[in-house]
Each structure stands twice: as structure tokens, then as C-alpha cells.
Amino acid sequence: MKIITISREFGSGGRELGKRLADALGFSYYDKEIISAIAKESNFDEQYVEETLLRGLTPNYTLTFGHTFAFGPDPIMQNELKILNLQQEIIKELAKKGDCVMVGRTSGSILEEDYDPLKIFVYADLASKLDRCRSRADAGEHLTDRELEKKIRQIDEGRARHQRLFTDKKWGARENYHLCINTTGLEIKSIVPAVRDY
């Protein structure tokens, strides 16, 4: 079984790379499907699930993680912990189905022990990330460069926080991935053949 996980900076094109790579390899692709499955199992709104996973868990007390998260007395914390437990279960269930590419959701850390996935990290310089975000923005979204930069930074900080719940390996540190890809100035589809061959 071959599993590829993709961690990425917001706006770097990691999601597009993951989808194109899955198509090129004939693998299943999981990204938003993970959010939908968590929402269905938890009876929470998909947007709430996505926002919880984007910002990462910020408990008011030290949280110790074993194989599952323990529920604290805070109802909001209980909801967040339920989402995190379901995230693990669903990612592991999807991995059992066969060859796949999973984007985000700390899938590389969650699957590391059982599946030893090929872990990819995708990044880019700020100007490229701003351009990519603007090209994919909803018609009604009119953020200034400063506001968009703040959004990118907040999402990436949330991803790093989220990963710390599952591993002590630093999010984005090159030694924790098999392949790091700088998409600055590159068209994503142009690099897919090289990544597929790798």
C-alpha cells in the first residue's frame, strides 16, 4: 500500500498538487472528504469542523495525548476533542482502503507509525502565496495585502499548533519530510510529473 501525505503552507498550492498527483498516480484523494466525514460522524457543521482544525486546539490547560484525547470539563473543549478523535479514526480508516494521497489534517503524523507514508511539505514565498490566494478568492473577498498576510500567518500557526497535539516533530521543518517542494513562481501542474516519478 502506498500512502502520500501532503502538509502545506496556506497559499502554496499544496491542495492542487495533491489532487493532480493523485490523478496522475491513479490514487484515491482525500482532503475535504475528511472534513465531511468528521461532520457527519459528529453532527457538527462542516464549517465548524474545518475552522476547529484550521486554528488548532488552544486549551487553557496542558493536554496530554496518548492514543486518544481525554475530554475535559469545558463543553467547547469537549467538542474540539471529539473532532480530533474522529479525525484520527477517519484518517486511519481511509488509509486502510488502499493507495491514496491525503492533504493536511496532520495525516502524516497520524499515519506515521502504522503506514510510514511518503511525507511531502509544500511551501512558497509570501508574494507567491498572496498571488495564489487572490486567484482563488471568492468574488466577494476583498482583503488588503496586510489582511491576507495575517490570514496566511494565522492559518499556518494553527496548522503548526494542531500538529503539536500529535507529535513533537516541528511542522514545516525539512527533516520531518521526505520531500520539500518550493512552489514559488511555478505552475503546479508543471511539477507534477517530477513528483509522480519521485
Side-chain angles (χ1 to χ4, degrees), residues 129-190:
K129 290 190 287 189
L130 289 170
D131 287 345
R132 195 168 276 117
C133 287
R134 291 223 183 282
S135 70
R136 287 164 172 69
D138 294 331
E141 186 177 295
H142 302 291
L143 298 177
T144 66
D145 282 352
R146 176 174 275 180
E147 290 168 333
L148 188 51
E149 183 178 344
K150 182 179 179 183
K151 178 180 177 180
I152 290 169
R153 189 171 57 252
Q154 286 175 334
I155 291 173
D156 285 347
E157 286 170 358
R159 288 175 177 171
R161 245 190 337 267
H162 189 80
Q163 178 159 309
R164 285 195 298 270
L165 294 171
F166 295 90
T167 180
D168 58 359
K169 294 180 179 177
K170 187 177 178 184
W171 179 82
R174 66 181 182 270
E175 61 270 18
N176 298 324
Y177 303 92
H178 297 101
L179 180 64
C180 295
I181 302 171
N182 182 351
T183 59
T184 300
L186 298 174
E187 190 177 24
I188 299 298
K189 67 180 180 181
S190 71

Side-chain angles (χ1 to χ4, degrees), residues 17-31:
L17 176 64
K19 178 65 175 125
R20 289 181 179 276
L21 182 58
D23 290 345
L25 292 168
F27 285 10
S28 297
Y29 171 77
Y30 303 115
D31 180 11

Side-chain angles (χ1 to χ4, degrees), residues 6-196:
I6 297 181
S7 297
R8 76 279 188 224
E9 291 181 345
F10 187 73
S12 66
R15 174 175 287 148
E16 181 185 348
L17 176 64
K19 178 65 175 125
R20 289 181 179 276
L21 182 58
D23 290 345
L25 292 168
F27 285 10
S28 297
Y29 171 77
Y30 303 115
D31 180 11
K32 295 283 188 181
E33 295 81 0
I34 298 168
I35 298 288
S36 299
I38 294 169
K40 184 178 178 182
E41 288 291 319
S42 65
N43 291 316
F44 292 135
D45 179 75
E46 282 191 29
Q47 186 172 351
Y48 174 71
V49 171
E50 185 166 23
E51 287 173 0
T52 298
L53 295 178
L54 273 179
R55 75 172 175 268
L57 189 64
T58 51
N60 295 325
Y61 52 88
T62 302
L63 180 69
T64 304
F65 173 70
H67 291 291
T68 59
F69 291 94
F71 292 96
D74 180 353
I76 293 173
M77 181 69 70
Q78 288 181 355
N79 291 343
E80 291 176 343
L81 293 172
K82 182 177 183 179
I83 288 169
L84 292 174
N85 280 324
L86 282 169
Q87 173 189 241
Q88 288 184 95
E89 292 171 18
I90 288 164
I91 285 173
K92 288 178 179 179
E93 284 301 311
L94 291 172
K96 288 179 185 175
K97 294 183 177 183
D99 298 344
C100 64
V101 175
M102 286 194 192
V103 175
R105 325 294 170 223
T106 318
S107 53
S109 297
I110 291 170
L111 297 175
E112 187 171 38
E113 188 176 317
D114 296 328
Y115 293 94
D116 192 26
L118 174 70
K119 294 187 285 186
I120 297 173
F121 187 78
V122 183
Y123 64 101
D125 69 10
L126 181 59
S128 292
K129 290 190 287 189
L130 289 170
D131 287 345
R132 195 168 276 117
C133 287
R134 291 223 183 282
S135 70
R136 287 164 172 69
D138 294 331
E141 186 177 295
H142 302 291
L143 298 177
T144 66
D145 282 352
R146 176 174 275 180
E147 290 168 333
L148 188 51
E149 183 178 344
K150 182 179 179 183
K151 178 180 177 180
I152 290 169
R153 189 171 57 252
Q154 286 175 334
I155 291 173
D156 285 347
E157 286 170 358
R159 288 175 177 171
R161 245 190 337 267
H162 189 80
Q163 178 159 309
R164 285 195 298 270
L165 294 171
F166 295 90
T167 180
D168 58 359
K169 294 180 179 177
K170 187 177 178 184
W171 179 82
R174 66 181 182 270
E175 61 270 18
N176 298 324
Y177 303 92
H178 297 101
L179 180 64
C180 295
I181 302 171
N182 182 351
T183 59
T184 300
L186 298 174
E187 190 177 24
I188 299 298
K189 67 180 180 181
S190 71
I191 62 176
V192 171
V195 180
R196 179 200 60 211

